[in-house]
Amino acid sequence: KNEVEQSPQNLTAQEGEFITINCSYSVGISALHWLQQHPGGGIVSLFMLSSGKKKHGRLIATINIQEKHSSLHITASHPRDSAVYICAVRRNGNQFYFGTGTSLTVIP
Amino acid sequence: EAQVTQNPRYLITVTGKKLTVTCSQNMNHEYMSWYRQDPGLGLRQIYYSMNVEVTDKGDVPEGYKVSRKEKRNFPLILESPSPNQTSLYFCASRLSGAGETQYFGPGTRLLVL
């Protein structure tokens, strides 16, 4: 069983829609990261969370430590948001475990 | 420009032929790490290093070696590659603080025949 579960695996949205990607984890963590992987393969870190909520532009990430759950929201989605979004948890200070990713396609 | 570089970007090799994938960062980061990415399994951590001469195993270290002789470099060594090590490999680095962002290299696509 994977320590990090993401849903949905695949998501197709119309441009302008509000998108939510969920991440649940089963282990104690020191931080949770959201990553974006572009079709060419490059990986960019979007957020690092240890509590509460963070916002960057149209992206919002939240975490509920007690429920072991995090969500990534994209408001007013755009075709350039099409990518794979990956949830990662940091344990024991330095070890990372990853979800298998959510593939998002935003249609114009 | 602050970056993590990996070489080579693409490599085709044969079973048993030793190879090294280099990773270098110019941000003076203490922490460096290697990951592999496979379809359906996602990213998995191979090895990480907290600083020079300090390395530790990640989730899937079997068949790999690393060294950290200099702060900027963290090579990944496959002494005897096997087909199950065919994968997309990423190197990453960050400062050692708890709230620090991880920066990823562009990836190395390895095919072992």
Side-chain angles (χ1 to χ4, degrees):
Chain A
K1 181 185 181 297
N2 199 1
E3 290 88 350
V4 183
E5 301 281 352
Q6 282 184 242
S7 64
Q9 279 192 309
N10 297 285
L11 181 56
T12 301
Q14 289 292 132
E15 183 173 356
E17 283 186 10
F18 181 85
I19 288 163
T20 296
I21 298 169
N22 296 298
C23 174
S24 296
Y25 53 93
S26 57
V27 295
I29 67 170
S30 58
L32 183 143
H33 296 248
W34 281 102
L35 310 174
Q36 181 190 54
Q37 185 169 26
H38 295 287
I43 298 175
V44 174
S45 182
L46 297 175
F47 293 105
M48 193 285 297
L49 295 160
S50 53
S51 65
K53 175 179 174 178
K54 285 190 177 179
K55 184 176 189 289
H56 186 256
R58 294 179 295 106
L59 274 58
I60 303 166
T62 64
I63 188 168
N64 185 319
I65 297 293
Q66 286 74 30
E67 293 186 7
K68 292 187 165 62
H69 182 268
S70 175
S71 293
L72 176 68
H73 306 286
I74 305 175
T75 61
S77 59
H78 190 277
R80 65 174 174 265
D81 297 326
S82 298
V84 175
Y85 292 84
I86 300 168
C87 174
V89 300
R90 180 178 164 189
R91 296 197 64 201
N92 303 328
N94 301 304
Q95 285 192 307
F96 280 84
Y97 295 90
F98 299 82
T100 53
T102 295
S103 179
L104 171 64
T105 302
V106 181
I107 299 169
Chain B
E1 181 191 351
Q3 60 183 352
V4 179
T5 56
Q6 294 179 227
N7 283 291
R9 294 289 311 280
Y10 304 91
L11 180 59
I12 301 174
T13 189
V14 296
T15 298
K17 186 175 180 182
K18 181 180 177 179
L19 68 92
T20 299
V21 183
T22 65
C23 173
S24 183
Q25 50 92 7
N26 62 1
M27 296 171 278
N28 202 35
H29 288 170
E30 295 89 5
Y31 178 95
M32 298 185 75
S33 185
W34 275 104
Y35 304 95
R36 61 178 290 175
Q37 186 177 38
D38 302 289
L41 297 176
L43 286 155
R44 291 178 292 169
Q45 192 172 33
I46 304 170
Y47 270 95
Y48 61 93
S49 168
M50 287 305 298
N51 215 324
V52 175
E53 301 293 1
V54 180
T55 63
D56 213 340
K57 295 178 182 178
D59 206 22
V60 288
E62 296 78 18
Y64 303 94
K65 283 176 59 176
V66 292
S67 68
R68 188 91 182 272
K69 292 184 170 58
E70 305 165 283
K71 198 171 186 180
R72 65 182 292 124
N73 296 322
F74 190 43
L76 180 69
I77 303 156
L78 285 72
E79 295 265 358
S80 184
S82 62
N84 65 13
Q85 292 178 298
T86 292
S87 188
L88 178 58
Y89 291 87
F90 288 97
C91 179
S93 73
R94 63 176 172 85
L95 292 169
S96 60
E100 298 299 332
T101 298
Q102 195 159 204
Y103 294 85
F104 287 82
T108 295
R109 195 168 291 277
L110 172 65
L111 173 61
V112 183
L113 299 172

